Amino acid sequence: MAEAYIVDALRTPTGRRGGALSGVHPLDLGAHVLRALMGRTDMDPAAVDDVVFGCVDTIGPQAGDVARLSWLAAGFSDEVPGVTVDRQCGSSQQALHFAAQAVLSGTADLVVAGGVQSMSQIPIGSAMTVGQQFGFPTPMSGSTGWAARYGAEEVDQFRSADLIAERWAIGREEMERFALTSHQRAVTAIDEGRFDRELVPLGDARVDEGPRRDTSLEKMAGLKPLREGGISTAAMASQISDAASAVLVASERAVKDHGLVPRARIHHLSARGDDPVYMLTAPIRATRFALDKAGMSISDIDLFEVNEAFASVPLAWISETGADPAKVNVNGGGIALGHPIGATGTKLFTTLLHELERTGGRFGLQTMCEGGGQANVTIVERLG
């Protein structure tokens, strides 16, 4: 049976909005992680069949197929093509899926999957707000099919986070405790050097800038909700960030031909959808689907990465799946470490792989909520 092997995975530190990476052009940010990936694996870049990158809001410096342009900005062969994927927050996780599927199908032997996002330079939602000058207040405005199905229902991530909290009876204090734990775990991971092997520093960006050592439940309690009458606050939301990440996926033939040492294999990959108004609940359905397809149970998984778009998302997911909270986001998540949307998928995968290696775990599961009410699930098996 064909296999999709993971040879290496790495990422830049995640910069805060306006932080150490805010002035780096997205192409140079992507190029940096690509050069590091090729250098660390001692690979001839010309042997790569394709480059698949995730990126959201592909306008300005992120336009024009940022995967291809980042590869060229890295100084690599112009024979190698690139393609940019947009599955909203799960864009680079989907890039990894496309890369693995190409290898599994036998149509490619070496594919780089990754993502890049400069949320400092191109604010989140810019691709949508640009449409306003052309008479489209939202992407759905003017669609008779959408209106017939969903009417004028408000579709907003802040509302979705609140709807989930209400539906699963998750209180503000519970979400604040979860957020505080995210920061505490991230600080511990940094102090213990858990991220050192996966990080590729760039300029003044040496470590992740998001974790707040001085935060507290008292400080969180003083924040106003993100929307009138809501419950979710900025303390419970993922941080706006800048970063790039990349993974090298190889076939068995490529492993032999290039003398590579695989660190893991893709055990399962899939994606599912859910209610687009609730928007952020799809990881629940997608996880159940993935475990069923893989013939596994939640107890078979050693570590989980569930993107912390908002605290209510992983809390509802834990409630529904029965996952052990002690195995979920053990080094912190997006609330503390940031969510550079186009790069987050392979960023989380990189952390998951390295943590499996550090702890000796076998299986890791990654999932994340995505715009439109979607979610990807990747199950990776550590080798060795």
Side-chain angles (χ1 to χ4, degrees):
M1 187 178 75
E3 298 282 9
Y5 292 111
I6 305 302
V7 177
D8 206 354
L10 46 78
R11 65 182 182 90
T12 67
T14 303
R16 285 186 181 181
R17 176 171 55 180
L21 294 176
S22 61
V24 181
H25 195 288
L27 299 188
D28 297 325
L29 192 56
H32 180 72
V33 79
L34 288 169
R35 282 193 295 266
L37 184 69
M38 292 295 100
R40 202 158 83 171
T41 54
D42 198 26
M43 276 297 308
D44 176 6
V48 172
D49 294 308
D50 205 354
V51 180
V52 189
F53 256 33
C55 190
V56 186
D57 295 315
T58 52
I59 62 174
Q62 296 178 162
D65 189 357
V66 72
R68 166 69 170 169
L69 299 182
S70 292
W71 182 262
L72 296 176
F76 295 146
S77 171
D78 60 11
E79 295 178 77
V80 179
V83 63
T84 302
V85 177
D86 180 358
R87 200 195 281 272
Q88 298 294 278
C89 294
S91 294
S92 57
Q93 188 174 359
Q94 183 59 53
L96 176 59
H97 284 201
F98 282 152
Q101 287 165 343
V103 167
L104 290 167
S105 71
T107 56
D109 288 304
L110 277 171
V111 184
V112 173
V116 62
Q117 199 79 38
S118 177
M119 300 177 77
S120 292
Q121 296 182 34
I122 304 295
I124 185 171
S126 291
M128 298 182 187
T129 55
V130 164
Q132 294 173 4
Q133 64 183 298
F134 301 110
F136 296 95
T138 72
M140 297 82 74
S141 299
S143 167
T144 56
W146 181 272
R149 184 166 186 176
Y150 298 105
E153 189 81 48
E154 179 189 4
V155 180
D156 176 82
Q157 61 176 338
F158 298 151
R159 181 188 181 216
S160 298
D162 286 342
L163 287 173
I164 292 170
E166 180 180 5
R167 179 173 170 181
W168 273 271
I170 305 170
R172 174 166 173 165
E173 185 177 346
E174 182 180 0
M175 291 190 283
E176 288 171 341
R177 287 198 303 270
F178 182 89
L180 180 61
T181 298
S182 182
H183 284 280
Q184 292 171 337
R185 288 179 173 181
V187 168
T188 297
I190 291 171
D191 290 349
E192 293 184 356
R194 297 184 189 179
F195 297 138
D196 290 355
R197 288 184 61 241
E198 68 190 63
L199 285 179
V200 184
L202 176 56
D204 292 332
R206 316 301 296 179
V207 298
D208 297 304
E209 296 180 336
R212 293 184 171 90
R213 295 175 180 270
D214 61 346
T215 193
S216 65
L217 293 177
E218 291 72 24
K219 289 182 178 181
M220 293 180 185
L223 297 177
K224 294 181 179 180
L226 293 166
R227 56 193 298 272
E228 188 70 30
I231 187 173
S232 299
T233 69
M236 310 167 193
S238 56
Q239 295 186 42
I240 293 173
S241 310
D242 311 317
S245 52
V247 179
L248 182 61
V249 186
S251 67
E252 186 171 358
R253 179 168 62 181
V255 166
K256 292 178 179 177
D257 289 350
H258 299 283
L260 302 171
V261 179
R263 296 165 60 180
R265 59 179 285 273
I266 298 296
H267 185 73
H268 171 85
L269 48 83
S270 59
R272 304 304 290 169
D274 206 347
D275 187 334
V277 177
Y278 269 84
M279 191 189 302
L280 312 175
T281 55
I284 297 169
R285 177 178 289 176
T287 298
R288 289 171 176 160
F289 178 85
L291 291 173
D292 182 63
K293 292 283 284 187
M296 303 177 76
S297 68
I298 201 76
S299 62
D300 292 324
I301 307 299
D302 297 295
L303 291 171
F304 301 92
E305 284 290 336
V306 182
N307 190 39
E308 297 172 1
F310 297 90
S312 59
V313 175
L315 285 171
W317 179 88
I318 290 169
S319 174
E320 288 291 326
T321 64
D324 181 353
K327 297 180 178 180
V328 180
N329 303 350
V330 297
N331 292 323
I335 291 172
L337 292 164
H339 177 23
I341 46 180
T344 299
T346 41
K347 170 186 178 294
L348 294 184
F349 184 86
T350 296
T351 296
L352 180 59
L353 172 62
H354 284 81
E355 187 63 15
L356 284 171
E357 292 176 334
R358 189 185 74 85
T359 59
R362 181 180 179 187
F363 289 109
L365 184 150
Q366 173 186 331
T367 188
M368 54 201 306
C369 55
E370 303 156 355
Q374 306 173 90
N376 284 65
V377 173
T378 313
I379 301 177
V380 62
E381 182 183 12
R382 181 185 65 85
L383 301 177

